[in-house]
Amino acid sequence: MKTSLTCPAANGNSASATYKGGASTLAVFGTFDSGTVKLQVSYDAGTTWIDATDDNGDTISFTASKTKSIWLGGAPLVRVNLAGSSGGTAVTVEANYGLANTHYGLPEYAQE
Protein backbone atom coordinates (compact mmCIF):
# COMPACT_ATOMS: atom_id res chain seq x y z
CA MET A 1 0.00 0.00 0.00
CA LYS A 2 1.25 3.49 -0.66
CA THR A 3 0.40 7.15 -0.27
CA SER A 4 1.45 9.30 -3.24
CA LEU A 5 2.02 13.05 -3.44
CA THR A 6 2.91 15.05 -6.54
CA CYS A 7 5.13 18.03 -5.95
CA PRO A 8 4.07 21.29 -7.62
CA ALA A 9 6.09 22.30 -10.71
CA ALA A 10 6.86 25.68 -9.12
CA ASN A 11 7.43 26.66 -5.49
CA GLY A 12 4.50 25.83 -3.21
CA ASN A 13 2.66 22.92 -1.60
CA SER A 14 1.18 19.70 -2.94
CA ALA A 15 -2.33 18.56 -2.22
CA SER A 16 -2.52 16.71 1.11
CA ALA A 17 -3.16 13.02 1.72
CA THR A 18 -3.76 10.94 4.84
CA TYR A 19 -0.67 9.05 6.02
CA LYS A 20 -1.59 5.56 7.21
CA GLY A 21 0.61 5.80 10.30
CA GLY A 22 3.66 3.83 11.37
CA ALA A 23 6.75 2.98 9.38
CA SER A 24 7.20 3.41 5.66
CA THR A 25 9.86 3.94 3.05
CA LEU A 26 9.61 7.37 1.52
CA ALA A 27 10.66 7.28 -2.15
CA VAL A 28 11.31 10.68 -3.73
CA PHE A 29 12.13 10.77 -7.43
CA GLY A 30 12.06 13.00 -10.49
CA THR A 31 13.56 16.29 -11.70
CA PHE A 32 14.42 18.67 -8.87
CA ASP A 33 15.53 21.74 -10.90
CA SER A 34 17.58 23.05 -7.92
CA GLY A 35 14.55 22.87 -5.59
CA THR A 36 14.28 21.44 -2.09
CA VAL A 37 11.33 19.20 -1.25
CA LYS A 38 10.26 18.98 2.43
CA LEU A 39 7.75 16.59 3.97
CA GLN A 40 5.19 18.37 6.15
CA VAL A 41 2.55 16.98 8.53
CA SER A 42 -0.67 18.28 10.06
CA TYR A 43 -2.36 16.75 13.09
CA ASP A 44 -5.24 19.27 13.06
CA ALA A 45 -6.90 18.57 9.70
CA GLY A 46 -4.69 20.97 7.74
CA THR A 47 -4.92 24.10 9.88
CA THR A 48 -1.26 23.97 11.01
CA TRP A 49 1.58 22.44 8.97
CA ILE A 50 4.84 21.32 10.60
CA ASP A 51 8.06 20.24 8.89
CA ALA A 52 8.44 16.50 9.52
CA THR A 53 11.65 15.46 11.27
CA ASP A 54 13.58 12.21 11.51
CA ASP A 55 14.78 10.45 14.66
CA ASN A 56 17.70 12.91 14.90
CA GLY A 57 15.41 15.94 14.78
CA ASP A 58 16.54 16.86 11.25
CA THR A 59 13.94 18.12 8.78
CA ILE A 60 13.01 15.45 6.22
CA SER A 61 14.03 17.15 2.97
CA PHE A 62 15.40 16.16 -0.43
CA THR A 63 17.37 17.85 -3.21
CA ALA A 64 17.79 14.69 -5.32
CA SER A 65 16.06 11.34 -5.84
CA LYS A 66 16.48 8.96 -2.90
CA THR A 67 14.67 6.86 -0.30
CA LYS A 68 14.36 7.34 3.45
CA SER A 69 12.76 5.23 6.16
CA ILE A 70 10.30 7.27 8.20
CA TRP A 71 7.95 6.81 11.13
CA LEU A 72 4.93 9.04 11.81
CA GLY A 73 2.59 8.34 14.70
CA GLY A 74 -1.16 8.49 14.28
CA ALA A 75 -2.69 9.25 10.91
CA PRO A 76 -1.73 12.84 10.09
CA LEU A 77 -2.28 14.64 6.83
CA VAL A 78 0.95 14.90 4.82
CA ARG A 79 2.02 17.13 1.98
CA VAL A 80 5.26 18.18 0.34
CA ASN A 81 6.58 21.72 0.10
CA LEU A 82 8.82 22.83 -2.76
CA ALA A 83 11.13 25.85 -2.35
CA GLY A 84 14.05 27.21 -4.38
CA SER A 85 12.94 25.82 -7.74
CA SER A 86 13.18 27.77 -10.97
CA GLY A 87 9.95 26.20 -12.24
CA GLY A 88 10.97 22.95 -13.97
CA THR A 89 10.40 20.56 -11.08
CA ALA A 90 8.63 17.23 -11.65
CA VAL A 91 8.93 15.23 -8.41
CA THR A 92 6.80 12.39 -7.04
CA VAL A 93 6.84 11.35 -3.38
CA GLU A 94 5.56 7.93 -2.30
CA ALA A 95 5.24 6.52 1.21
CA ASN A 96 5.36 2.74 0.74
CA TYR A 97 4.02 0.63 3.59
CA GLY A 98 4.72 -3.03 4.05
CA LEU A 99 6.74 -5.52 6.00
CA ALA A 100 8.71 -2.80 7.79
CA ASN A 101 5.66 -2.28 9.99
CA THR A 102 6.00 -5.76 11.49
CA HIS A 103 9.25 -4.61 13.10
CA TYR A 104 7.14 -2.15 15.11
CA GLY A 105 4.33 -4.62 15.84
CA LEU A 106 1.97 -2.99 13.34
CA PRO A 107 -0.19 -4.90 10.84
CA GLU A 108 1.22 -5.79 7.45
CA TYR A 109 -0.52 -3.88 4.69
CA ALA A 110 -1.28 -5.53 1.38
CA GLN A 111 0.72 -4.18 -1.52
CA GLU A 112 -1.29 -2.40 -4.23
Side-chain angles (χ1 to χ4, degrees):
M1 181 193 263
K2 67 182 171 184
T3 298
S4 296
L5 300 166
T6 301
C7 201
N11 296 332
N13 301 310
S14 71
S16 62
T18 301
Y19 184 83
K20 309 296 188 218
S24 70
T25 299
L26 199 63
V28 181
F29 52 92
T31 304
F32 282 76
D33 190 38
S34 72
T36 299
V37 174
K38 292 190 297 186
L39 181 66
Q40 296 183 321
V41 298
S42 175
Y43 285 94
D44 60 3
T47 300
T48 307
W49 289 94
I50 305 162
D51 291 345
T53 56
D54 61 20
D55 291 342
N56 296 320
D58 298 322
T59 299
I60 298 172
S61 64
F62 304 88
T63 57
S65 298
K66 68 188 287 188
T67 61
K68 181 169 184 67
S69 296
I70 65 168
W71 168 275
L72 295 174
L77 289 177
V78 292
R79 72 179 185 189
V80 289
N81 171 271
L82 173 65
S85 172
S86 55
T89 302
V91 174
T92 299
V93 178
E94 293 181 350
N96 296 284
Y97 310 91
L99 295 177
N101 282 324
T102 60
H103 175 75
Y104 298 100
L106 300 171
E108 292 181 34
Y109 291 99
Q111 298 295 317
E112 288 185 351

